[in-house]
Amino acid sequence: WVQSWGDPWADDIGLRGFRKIRANKSEKRILEEADHVFYVSMPTLERMREKNPKLATKMNYLPRGFIQEVKSKLNSDSNRFIISYTGVLNKSRNIINLLEAIKLYNKNNAVKFLINIYGYCDEQTREKLLDYNNFVKVFPPISYEKIIEVYKTTHALLFISNEKGAHQIPGKLYDYFGTDKSILAVVDNLRDSVSQFIESKRRTILVENNIKNLVKGIELLKEDITRGN
């Protein structure tokens, strides 16, 4: 029995209490029954080997590719650039520092950045986003087919890492790699294993999640878009 894992069940950020305990037990039981176990993220593999030392020898790395290549050229001389984010936003993925950085950038520059968010936002995050509604739009979750169309009509894509200590690499990052778009990767810690993996791909503008660095990141993003990625 060969298993391929993206995110471990027990590490789902939405699980709490008894549900997390049950996921942990069920996951371990399934792993024990496997002949070979593959993880699409090297940081996740390393963590799972540490967590399950008796199963470590049958755990290996199998990187995930992107599902569809997306290429489209937009006008880089526009007076506004669109950044799109697809996925969940909650307290574990802090977008507010970036919004403050864009607010500062837009105030001092003729070219403005807009952000389109496609996906679920928790209530607390959604309320905070209202303070930035002059350049932020929030849309409900959409199908993969429609996400591809979003990729085609955006200038840049946004990745936000999970809170410090997380080791998963969300699948959408691999899908981003399959586009010709600029990618802004916002991380909590430049030295953790997820950030090091992202940096090794040399495909993103990698920025630590604080306002000062994010303003610089926005400037680099504009340059990247203008020269055609």
Side-chain angles (χ1 to χ4, degrees):
W1 184 12
V2 177
Q3 298 176 4
S4 177
W5 290 76
D7 297 342
W9 290 349
D11 290 344
D12 189 308
I13 59 177
L15 292 180
R16 297 288 186 275
F18 176 72
R19 293 179 65 201
K20 190 174 185 70
I21 294 172
R22 188 170 72 171
N24 213 341
K25 289 184 177 180
S26 298
E27 182 175 35
K28 186 170 184 179
R29 175 176 53 80
I30 291 173
L31 290 172
E32 288 172 346
E33 294 178 4
D35 297 299
H36 300 281
V37 179
F38 293 98
Y39 289 95
V40 301
S41 160
M42 181 61 78
T44 301
L45 169 63
E46 292 170 352
R47 165 157 165 80
M48 295 305 289
R49 280 176 170 172
E50 290 176 3
K51 186 177 179 181
N52 303 281
K54 293 182 179 179
L55 307 177
T57 56
K58 63 180 179 181
M59 294 179 172
N60 289 285
Y61 175 51
L62 182 66
R64 205 202 101 167
F66 50 83
I67 297 173
Q68 183 174 335
E69 187 176 33
V70 178
K71 291 186 177 183
S72 65
K73 291 298 179 183
L74 300 181
N75 181 10
S76 60
D77 296 324
S78 172
N79 62 356
R80 65 176 193 168
F81 292 139
I82 297 172
I83 303 173
S84 291
Y85 176 85
T86 58
V88 173
L89 277 181
N90 53 33
K91 64 180 181 180
S92 295
R93 293 176 182 168
N94 176 19
I95 195 174
I96 302 304
N97 287 342
L98 174 62
L99 300 185
E100 283 294 324
I102 292 176
K103 183 179 178 180
L104 286 172
Y105 182 91
N106 286 352
K107 182 179 179 180
N108 297 308
N109 291 274
V111 174
K112 311 299 182 185
F113 276 92
L114 310 178
I115 291 190
N116 290 337
I117 298 169
Y118 299 85
Y120 169 79
C121 297
D122 66 17
E123 196 61 36
Q124 184 179 8
T125 302
R126 187 176 289 274
E127 287 181 7
K128 290 180 178 179
L129 292 178
L130 293 175
D131 294 334
Y132 308 93
N133 59 11
N134 61 321
F135 63 90
V136 176
K137 292 183 179 180
V138 181
F139 302 90
I142 56 177
S143 67
Y144 178 76
E145 290 74 17
K146 290 183 178 179
I147 285 176
I148 295 299
E149 294 306 310
V150 167
Y151 290 170
K152 291 178 180 178
T153 57
T154 193
H155 293 94
L157 297 166
L158 172 63
F159 168 81
I160 304 175
S161 71
N162 292 324
E163 59 190 347
K164 290 181 180 179
H167 54 83
Q168 297 100 321
I169 298 174
K172 67 170 164 283
L173 185 59
Y174 294 95
D175 291 330
Y176 286 2
F177 289 159
T179 74
D180 59 356
K181 305 300 179 177
S182 301
I183 302 171
L184 180 65
V186 180
V187 299
D188 279 342
N189 182 356
L190 290 172
R191 297 179 180 85
D192 69 19
S193 56
V194 172
S195 298
Q196 290 174 4
F197 169 83
I198 295 171
E199 186 175 27
S200 72
K201 299 303 178 184
R202 300 186 180 279
R203 181 64 181 82
T204 71
I205 297 168
L206 185 65
V207 186
E208 198 164 23
N209 197 348
N210 62 69
I211 296 173
K212 181 179 178 181
N213 286 338
L214 286 166
V215 170
K216 294 178 181 177
I218 291 296
E219 292 171 351
L220 292 173
L221 183 62
K222 177 183 179 294
E223 292 175 8
D224 199 54
I225 294 171
T226 302
R227 67 171 175 258
N229 315 106

